[in-house]
Amino acid sequence: MEASAGLVAGSYRRNELVRIRHESDGGSKALKNMDPHSCEICGDNAGLTETGDLFVACNECAFPVCRPCYEYERKDGTQCCPRCKTRYRRLKGSPRVEGDEDEDDVDDIENEFSYTQGANKGRRQRHGEEFSSSSRHESQPIPLLTHGHTVSGEIRTPDTQSVRTTSGPLGPGDRNAISSPYIDPRQPVPVRIVDPSKDLNSYGLGNVDWKERVEGWKLKQDKNMVQMTGKYHEGKGGEIEGTGSNGEELQMADDTRLPMSRIVPIPPSHLTPYRVVIILRLIILGFFLQYRTTHPVKDAYPLWLTSVICEIWFAFSWLLDQFPKWYPINRETFLDRLAIRYDRDGEPSQLTPVDVFVSTVDPLKEPPLVTANTVLSILAVDYPVDKVACYVSDDGAAMLTFESLSETAEFAKKWVPFCKKFSIEPRAPEFYFAQKIDYLKDKIQPSFVKERRAMKREYEEFKVRINALVAKAQKIPEEGWTMQDGTPWPGNNTRDHPGMIQVFLGHSGGLDTDGNELPRLIYVSREKRPGFQHHKKAGAMNALIRVSAVLTNGAYLLNVDCDHYFNNSKAIKEAMCFLMDPAYGKKCCYVQFPQRFDGIDLHDRYANRNIVFFDINLKGLDGIQGPVYVGTGCCFNRQALYGYDPVLTEEDLEPNIIVKSCCGSRKKGKKSKKYNYDQQRRGINRSDSNAPLFNMDDIEEGFEGYDDERSILMSQKSVEKRFGQSPVFIAATFMEQGGIPPTTNPATLLKEAIHVISCGYEDKTEWGKEIGWIYGSVTEDILTGFKMHARGWMSIYCNPPRPAFKGSAPINLSDRLNQVLRWALGSIEILLSRHCPIWYGYTGRLRLLERLAYINTIVYPITALPLIAYCILPAFCLITDKFIIPEISNYASIWFILLFISIAVTGVLELRWSGVSIEDWWRNEQFWVIGGTSAHLFAVFQGLLKVLAGIDTNFTVTSKASDEDGDFAELYIFKWTALLIPPTTVLVVNLIGIVAGVSYAVNSGYQSWGPLFGKLFFALWVIAHLYPFLKGLMGRQNRTPTIVIVWSVLLASIFSLLWVRINPFVSVTPDANPNVIPGGVL
């Protein structure tokens, strides 16, 4: 598809497809003039027959094809005419192929089984050339309704991939037609350089097998093809290339066998004490709870019972959080080995294509300049340009986003070559120019300073143009937006508009200022109609999966939020070290990168960085079955999103270390043998990376000898029910290594692209249920990752030295609480759904500790109920002069002291092996209390209302506003929200309790100060955790809105009066002490 093809909009249900002309178009583009006697495939002359007549391959439509291409199609192709799909008949002089037995009207015994040299030459030429969709098919007209412009352009296959068939397994034509296998050219051939003057036996090559290999290699070189090879076998030799007199080349060949990553275990000196303390803490916790439950407080039984229930829940929550961190690991990647194996200098890159997804909704809350910087960092990534495609999903159908992306594409033609020429990091211009570092460090080109100044000026002009678009978009015209050619913008009604696709950059257009190609940049806005459920972000991501499969079909997908830019230009290569590794690729569903943030205040008041979660929890899960999916900065295996099972080994099914240490290893028996058989059966098609996952002939005929063939073979009807009724997309799903679907007609591609993003495409399919992003929760990331892990996939946590991605986070208190509320609400939705990890997925391969981690991610909001009760208990104890613990003996006090010591030591040892600072750990503890007493509490009730009563809550997009009023000005802005009331109430109640407790101690004498200290400690513990919240309420001007104070004081007074008697501070009478009057006042 050409970049200048214009905006394509349409609706499959309404049978509409419209091309809106680009401003540079002069009208409909006509196909280039072709010689009627030239081959439409290779461009050579069609030639003549032996009788001197023009060679005609197809008698039905006379599609011009030369004899070598005709012979290739019959032997290695589809055996059908590219235009009319009629099966080629055997002509005189052509050898017989399978299917010709029924053709008895051609008598050509001399050429029955021999191919001519000319045919071989034609095939070699055919293999060496890349198909062009415009030359292979004549453009077919598309039914247009409004403007009548024809669609022109093409989506070309990458340089290293040739499409060899015109119809996929489920494409048009005969369903039983045999199609040639998809040849994957992306894996290099391990080569061993030899010296011809030496004895070949010294290389293990002096045998007949070696000679056959050499001849095979020569044939492959003639055909200009590269085939996937397995592991390099010692003593067997390999394909030969070049000569050498020393062992350096041999060493390079050996380097291709080295792993591209390794596990860096935590030192035993750090990990062993950590595990020992966890076990000791578990024992101490058991004795502590035993004492608490068997020693009630008679005169404060309600307080005691409440505290014991809370402590039991806290113990359970600690177990869910602690044991998934039992086996933390670090990982290290080797980018040099990746380059040796797949990306050698001077050779075509064999790296796998990757499709990058960027999602955005509201350009007023997600500024176009932020999205533009993310897109620019993707286009400038350090990866082959023909293997990167960037898809921007505009789920708000905003013309502002469309126009901003058009400006971004133009600026990218200048920015991308500048970044690659001078190795710029990061490659988002806003953040590169804002760096307060010595930008001349390691720069040696004399022209760098001059070009940097010019580029900075270009970027400032680009910002002005974007700002002008934003200012213009503030006021929407009454008649709606119109495009430059006068056409009304199709997305004027954001709830009722057709699907839209625009290719801004691509192979047929979009060269940078140096004349080099740029990665594809494609704008997508899925169709929306009233009455359809669109599933918010999850639905948008599924639409991108389908449209990308039709247009580019990269084997891997990487999704980022619009405010998360590539901070490390080698981030994709970091992920490929795992996904393209033979040891991990077949069983790894995704590679998750940690989130890092810009613009966070120095002390990270509200724990926006989530350091504890990313550097402790996810590292722990990486040693089990992999980290959870966090919604952004994640590179997926496309096959995992399609719902396929991984290829696992017996070692992968070993129990995790906890179960293994208790129950021993898995015994091999009938069940194990059955698994091996199933794995072999499942790996029949998956073992060959060039073969599709399902063979349609096998689907129609079945395999003999399989007892449960119906459970593994899918008919065409069931495949359509699973993936939807798009033959182009379904054909793409069968390509495990990706690649363009076997159809190159641009009209078909555009029509199918619009089809797969139509609002009704997912009806009665498994989209959102078993494949793609899973629906049912606003936190679709947790559900999606959980479904993959339940099938047996593993994930990997990649934390390179230079952070792969950086983004923005809401540093304002109210925005931060609303963000946490959305996360917690999603967890409650999963808890109350059928996908709850407590009862779902036991028939799969989800490991025990991984399941505990998922259970913890969905039940943590419930902790808000015991937490808020436990935070109020100190105040009630001070007010009522009661305590939740009776007078304890010295023996019992030991358990209390040991419990506090074990908690502290566990935290210290955790910080030791993770490298997290104590300040980050303390901020995390503080915000756990703040969020638990506010957002988590609201999430529990909103989730219950949504699931039980059907009352839905709207998703609020987190604002990504830039900091224009100074450093961290957003931190001090106060925004009213009901989430502020509960923690403020807790603060006020505890302050009242402290005043009441001190007043009682002053009135009662020195003997009451001893018990007072224990109560004051708990009250001050609560206030210390809520201190950042208190600072947020005060703001920079130390002013708090009246409504907050009124509501908080009112609720605090109500709770206090429920527990306070008429004489709350003293129990003595005036007769017993004449100096004390009722009320406790001296």
Side-chain angles (χ1 to χ4, degrees):
M1 182 181 295
E2 296 177 354
S4 59
L7 176 67
V8 178
S11 173
Y12 180 80
R13 298 175 63 87
R14 302 185 180 185
N15 194 26
E16 298 176 356
L17 189 60
V18 180
R19 180 203 170 192
I20 301 174
R21 287 184 297 181
H22 194 268
E23 58 176 327
S24 62
D25 290 348
S28 302
K29 292 187 177 181
L31 292 176
K32 61 180 181 180
N33 295 327
M34 298 292 293
D35 184 357
H37 302 299
S38 298
C39 175
E40 289 285 341
I41 296 179
C42 66
D44 291 347
N45 192 282
L48 304 176
T49 63
E50 295 178 356
T51 60
D53 298 328
L54 180 67
F55 176 79
V56 178
C58 179
N59 294 327
E60 298 293 333
C61 66
F63 184 70
V65 174
C66 65
R67 187 161 198 124
C69 292
Y70 160 78
E71 299 290 1
Y72 172 81
E73 282 293 335
R74 280 176 44 80
K75 183 175 184 297
D76 296 324
T78 61
Q79 302 182 356
C80 298
C81 172
R83 175 186 291 173
C84 65
K85 303 299 185 296
T86 303
R87 190 183 188 280
Y88 277 138
R89 298 175 59 87
R90 186 170 76 91
L91 303 180
K92 188 173 182 179
S94 299
R96 187 178 296 275
V97 298
E98 183 180 359
D100 289 343
E101 286 74 15
D102 298 334
E103 298 180 5
D104 53 3
D105 58 340
V106 178
D107 187 10
D108 189 17
I109 303 299
E110 295 179 357
N111 298 282
E112 183 76 20
F113 301 105
S114 62
Y115 273 88
T116 62
Q117 184 69 19
N120 288 331
K121 180 180 179 181
R123 288 193 296 272
R124 288 195 296 270
Q125 181 180 6
R126 176 71 175 275
H127 282 299
E129 295 186 27
E130 177 187 11
F131 266 127
S132 172
S133 59
S134 60
S135 63
R136 175 150 191 172
H137 296 287
E138 294 183 357
S139 180
Q140 299 178 0
I142 303 176
L144 305 176
L145 298 184
T146 53
H147 296 280
H149 303 302
T150 59
V151 180
S152 135
E154 61 181 5
I155 291 185
R156 299 187 56 176
T157 43
D159 294 339
T160 58
Q161 294 176 329
S162 296
V163 178
R164 297 177 174 81
T165 59
T166 57
S167 61
L170 301 178
D174 186 4
R175 287 172 51 190
N176 294 324
I178 300 175
S179 61
S180 63
Y182 177 78
I183 305 250
D184 176 36
R186 287 176 290 229
Q187 305 295 339
V189 179
V191 296
R192 173 172 289 189
I193 311 303
V194 299
D195 188 349
S197 63
K198 294 184 178 181
D199 185 8
L200 295 178
N201 289 320
S202 62
Y203 294 99
L205 304 175
N207 49 48
V208 177
D209 179 68
W210 168 78
K211 295 179 180 179
E212 294 176 353
R213 288 175 179 270
V214 172
E215 294 299 327
W217 173 78
K218 290 180 179 179
L219 181 61
K220 293 175 185 177
Q221 292 299 315
D222 290 339
K223 294 181 178 180
N224 194 21
M225 293 176 59
V226 180
Q227 290 184 342
M228 174 76 175
T229 60
K231 294 184 178 179
Y232 191 91
H233 300 285
E234 295 184 0
K236 286 283 187 179
E239 284 73 20
I240 312 303
E241 182 180 29
T243 61
S245 58
N246 53 47
E248 295 180 0
E249 292 85 355
L250 291 175
Q251 181 64 38
M252 178 176 292
D254 291 337
D255 288 343
T256 61
R257 296 179 294 161
L258 296 175
M260 294 182 289
S261 64
R262 73 182 183 101
I263 295 177
V264 183
I266 305 295
S269 59
H270 292 175
L271 202 55
T272 302
Y274 175 67
R275 292 172 176 170
V276 171
V277 171
I278 290 175
I279 299 300
L280 292 177
R281 180 176 173 181
L282 183 61
I283 296 173
I284 294 171
L285 187 60
F287 280 100
F288 172 80
L289 293 178
Q290 185 270 341
Y291 176 83
R292 291 285 286 124
T293 55
T294 56
H295 292 75
V297 180
K298 302 294 185 181
D299 56 345
Y301 192 84
L303 296 178
W304 169 84
L305 183 60
T306 302
S307 65
V308 169
I309 294 175
C310 294
E311 289 163 1
I312 292 175
W313 177 263
F314 292 151
F316 172 72
S317 179
W318 172 76
L319 290 176
L320 294 178
D321 178 70
Q322 188 65 66
F323 278 98
K325 297 181 287 188
W326 181 265
Y327 192 60
I329 61 172
N330 293 313
R331 294 185 187 268
E332 180 182 2
T333 57
F334 303 102
L335 296 180
D336 54 340
R337 297 178 184 176
L338 178 74
I340 291 174
R341 185 175 296 187
Y342 297 113
D343 196 24
R344 295 181 182 177
D345 293 336
E347 299 180 9
S349 175
Q350 308 300 325
L351 292 172
T352 307
V354 178
D355 294 335
V356 185
F357 296 168
V358 180
S359 57
T360 181
V361 180
D362 188 351
L364 298 181
K365 292 185 177 180
E366 299 168 327
L369 189 61
V370 175
T371 305
N373 273 270
T374 299
V375 172
L376 289 169
S377 68
I378 296 172
L379 298 178
V381 72
D382 185 7
Y383 207 74
V385 294
D386 60 327
K387 298 179 184 295
V388 177
C390 176
Y391 290 83
V392 179
S393 171
D394 179 17
D395 218 31
M399 189 173 177
L400 174 58
T401 302
F402 179 83
E403 294 291 345
S404 299
L405 210 58
S406 177
E407 291 286 350
T408 303
E410 290 299 318
F411 179 71
K413 298 176 182 179
K414 305 173 183 178
W415 172 252
V416 172
F418 171 75
C419 292
K420 294 186 176 181
K421 180 178 180 180
F422 299 107
S423 300
I424 298 301
E425 293 287 356
R427 299 189 176 180
E430 181 70 23
F431 302 94
Y432 169 70
F433 291 120
Q435 290 183 115
K436 298 179 181 178
I437 60 173
D438 181 13
Y439 62 85
L440 298 178
K441 185 179 181 181
D442 301 329
K443 297 297 184 294
I444 59 176
Q445 295 94 328
S447 62
F448 172 69
V449 175
K450 182 179 179 180
E451 293 190 32
R452 184 182 185 274
R453 290 173 180 171
M455 184 54 59
K456 187 174 182 179
R457 180 173 181 176
E458 291 282 353
Y459 177 64
E460 290 173 349
E461 293 176 355
F462 167 72
K463 288 177 64 176
V464 171
R465 293 194 296 270
I466 296 295
N467 292 335
L469 292 175
V470 175
K472 182 179 179 181
Q474 298 299 320
K475 186 177 180 180
I476 303 177
E478 295 182 359
E479 65 278 6
W481 299 108
T482 56
M483 304 186 71
Q484 294 183 1
D485 63 348
T487 306
W489 172 245
N492 277 324
N493 188 343
T494 58
R495 297 183 179 182
D496 187 2
H497 64 82
M500 294 177 283
I501 298 176
Q502 167 74 58
V503 180
F504 286 106
L505 298 174
H507 286 297
S508 299
L511 301 180
D512 61 26
T513 54
D514 295 340
N516 301 318
E517 291 182 353
L518 290 171
R520 296 180 180 90
L521 176 59
I522 304 170
Y523 169 89
V524 178
S525 181
R526 57 178 174 150
E527 181 185 15
K528 287 189 176 182
R529 302 296 182 188
F532 287 89
Q533 177 60 262
H534 301 293
H535 302 288
K536 301 177 182 177
K537 180 182 177 181
M541 299 306 294
N542 284 338
L544 285 183
I545 293 178
R546 297 190 295 270
V547 74
S548 65
V550 171
L551 300 182
T552 53
N553 197 30
Y556 304 110
L557 312 175
L558 194 153
N559 86 290
V560 292
D561 290 340
C562 66
D563 61 326
H564 277 71
Y565 65 90
F566 276 70
N567 183 65
N568 184 348
S569 62
K570 300 182 184 295
I572 298 181
K573 290 184 177 180
E574 295 278 354
M576 292 302 107
C577 287
F578 301 103
L579 294 173
M580 296 184 68
D581 192 289
Y584 293 109
K586 295 293 184 180
K587 57 185 177 181
C588 178
C589 56
Y590 59 80
V591 176
Q592 178 65 63
F593 293 89
Q595 293 185 29
R596 302 298 187 225
F597 300 97
D598 288 318
I600 306 297
D601 57 297
L602 181 62
H603 300 289
D604 193 12
R605 179 186 294 180
Y606 305 123
N608 286 279
R609 294 191 178 95
N610 287 327
I611 295 295
V612 173
F613 174 74
F614 287 110
D615 289 358
I616 296 181
N617 294 72
L618 294 192
K619 281 185 179 180
L621 289 175
D622 199 19
I624 305 171
Q625 199 176 344
V628 299
Y629 170 44
V630 299
T632 184
C634 186
C635 192
F636 286 94
N637 185 333
R638 189 184 282 267
Q639 296 298 313
L641 285 170
Y642 288 157
Y644 292 118
D645 291 336
V647 178
L648 301 177
T649 62
E650 189 68 23
E651 181 181 358
D652 297 321
L653 290 182
E654 286 293 322
N656 58 65
I657 190 170
I658 296 295
V659 177
K660 192 173 181 179
S661 61
C662 299
C663 306
S665 301
R666 181 190 300 269
K667 294 183 179 180
K668 293 185 178 181
K670 295 182 179 179
K671 188 174 182 180
S672 177
K673 292 180 180 179
K674 182 179 185 301
Y675 170 77
N676 290 333
Y677 174 75
D678 291 341
Q679 281 300 101
Q680 293 176 2
R681 184 177 59 193
R682 185 182 294 112
I684 287 177
N685 288 326
R686 298 176 73 90
S687 61
D688 183 4
S689 61
N690 300 328
L693 292 180
F694 296 98
N695 186 291
M696 295 310 297
D697 295 333
D698 297 334
I699 291 174
E700 295 296 330
E701 300 174 7
F703 285 137
E704 295 182 0
Y706 284 167
D707 297 333
D708 54 346
E709 59 180 2
R710 293 186 179 180
S711 64
I712 64 171
L713 300 178
M714 304 170 65
S715 65
Q716 179 180 354
K717 185 175 181 180
S718 63
V719 171
E720 291 180 351
K721 183 178 180 181
R722 180 179 178 86
F723 294 109
Q725 296 182 352
S726 171
V728 176
F729 172 72
I730 293 175
T733 64
F734 294 151
M735 296 181 179
E736 187 177 2
Q737 293 298 324
I740 297 295
T743 176
T744 54
N745 190 326
T748 302
L749 288 179
L750 289 172
K751 191 173 183 179
E752 287 299 320
I754 293 295
H755 178 198
V756 297
I757 62 174
S758 60
C759 56
Y761 182 84
E762 297 180 355
D763 292 348
K764 299 180 181 180
T765 66
E766 295 186 8
W767 283 102
K769 301 173 184 176
E770 298 295 332
I771 60 177
W773 269 258
I774 307 301
Y775 304 149
S777 171
V778 294
T779 53
E780 69 288 333
D781 46 2
I782 299 295
L783 265 181
T784 303
F786 173 66
K787 293 281 286 189
M788 294 181 186
H789 283 134
R791 295 189 190 102
W793 290 93
M794 63 170 290
S795 57
I796 288 176
Y797 184 62
C798 181
N799 187 11
R802 180 179 180 86
F805 305 95
K806 281 190 175 182
S808 60
I811 62 176
N812 177 267
L813 175 61
S814 300
D815 291 341
R816 173 68 167 145
L817 290 178
N818 277 294
Q819 183 187 58
V820 174
L821 171 63
R822 184 173 66 87
W823 295 344
L825 179 60
S827 296
I828 294 297
E829 291 174 346
I830 300 174
L831 176 63
L832 301 176
S833 71
R834 73 181 187 92
H835 290 117
C836 177
I838 299 176
W839 51 72
Y840 181 85
Y842 283 95
T843 58
R845 305 185 188 96
L846 187 66
R847 298 191 179 184
L848 174 61
L849 293 184
E850 193 79 13
R851 183 178 296 277
L852 292 181
Y854 273 108
I855 293 175
N856 185 50
T857 60
I858 64 166
V859 302
Y860 77 90
I862 300 179
T863 308
L865 299 175
L867 179 62
I868 198 168
Y870 211 72
C871 289
I872 295 176
L873 281 177
F876 288 162
C877 291
L878 288 167
I879 293 173
T880 60
D881 192 25
K882 307 294 183 182
F883 202 44
I884 58 177
I885 300 175
E887 293 184 5
I888 59 177
S889 62
N890 293 333
Y891 173 77
S893 64
I894 294 177
W895 295 113
F896 283 83
I897 296 174
L898 289 177
L899 180 62
F900 284 107
I901 293 176
S902 65
I903 293 174
V905 174
T906 302
V908 171
L909 294 178
E910 210 167 63
L911 300 181
R912 185 186 180 193
W913 64 254
S914 66
V916 176
S917 67
I918 191 171
E919 182 180 11
D920 289 326
W921 177 83
W922 174 239
R923 291 300 184 201
N924 181 79
E925 292 295 312
Q926 287 181 313
F927 197 79
W928 176 73
V929 176
I930 296 173
T933 57
S934 57
H936 298 173
L937 182 66
F938 276 73
V940 172
F941 292 106
Q942 288 187 13
L944 292 175
L945 289 174
K946 182 176 181 179
V947 175
L948 301 180
I951 302 177
D952 198 0
T953 54
N954 293 326
F955 162 60
T956 303
V957 178
T958 305
S959 176
K960 280 87 176 178
S962 58
D963 192 7
E964 300 177 353
D965 299 330
D967 293 339
F968 316 122
E970 183 74 13
L971 179 67
Y972 305 100
I973 297 177
F974 187 90
K975 301 177 182 179
W976 160 247
T977 173
L979 297 175
L980 302 175
I981 295 177
T984 305
T985 302
V986 172
L987 272 172
V988 173
V989 168
N990 277 277
L991 290 174
I992 293 176
I994 291 175
V995 173
V998 172
S999 300
Y1000 175 79
V1002 170
N1003 293 333
S1004 301
Y1006 69 91
Q1007 69 276 4
S1008 61
W1009 284 96
L1012 176 65
F1013 286 130
K1015 303 172 187 178
L1016 287 177
F1017 171 79
F1018 287 107
L1020 294 175
W1021 175 88
V1022 173
I1023 295 175
H1025 279 76
L1026 293 175
Y1027 179 70
F1029 176 82
L1030 184 60
K1031 290 184 66 176
L1033 287 181
M1034 296 297 103
R1036 178 174 286 176
Q1037 291 79 23
N1038 292 330
R1039 291 183 298 179
T1040 304
T1042 306
I1043 187 172
V1044 176
I1045 299 177
V1046 171
W1047 274 99
S1048 301
V1049 172
L1050 179 61
L1051 291 177
S1053 302
I1054 293 175
F1055 286 134
S1056 300
L1057 291 176
L1058 291 176
W1059 292 86
V1060 175
R1061 296 176 298 177
I1062 298 177
N1063 295 328
F1065 307 124
V1066 296
S1067 58
V1068 298
T1069 61
D1071 297 336
N1073 188 352
N1075 295 325
V1076 179
I1077 61 175
V1081 182
L1082 291 175

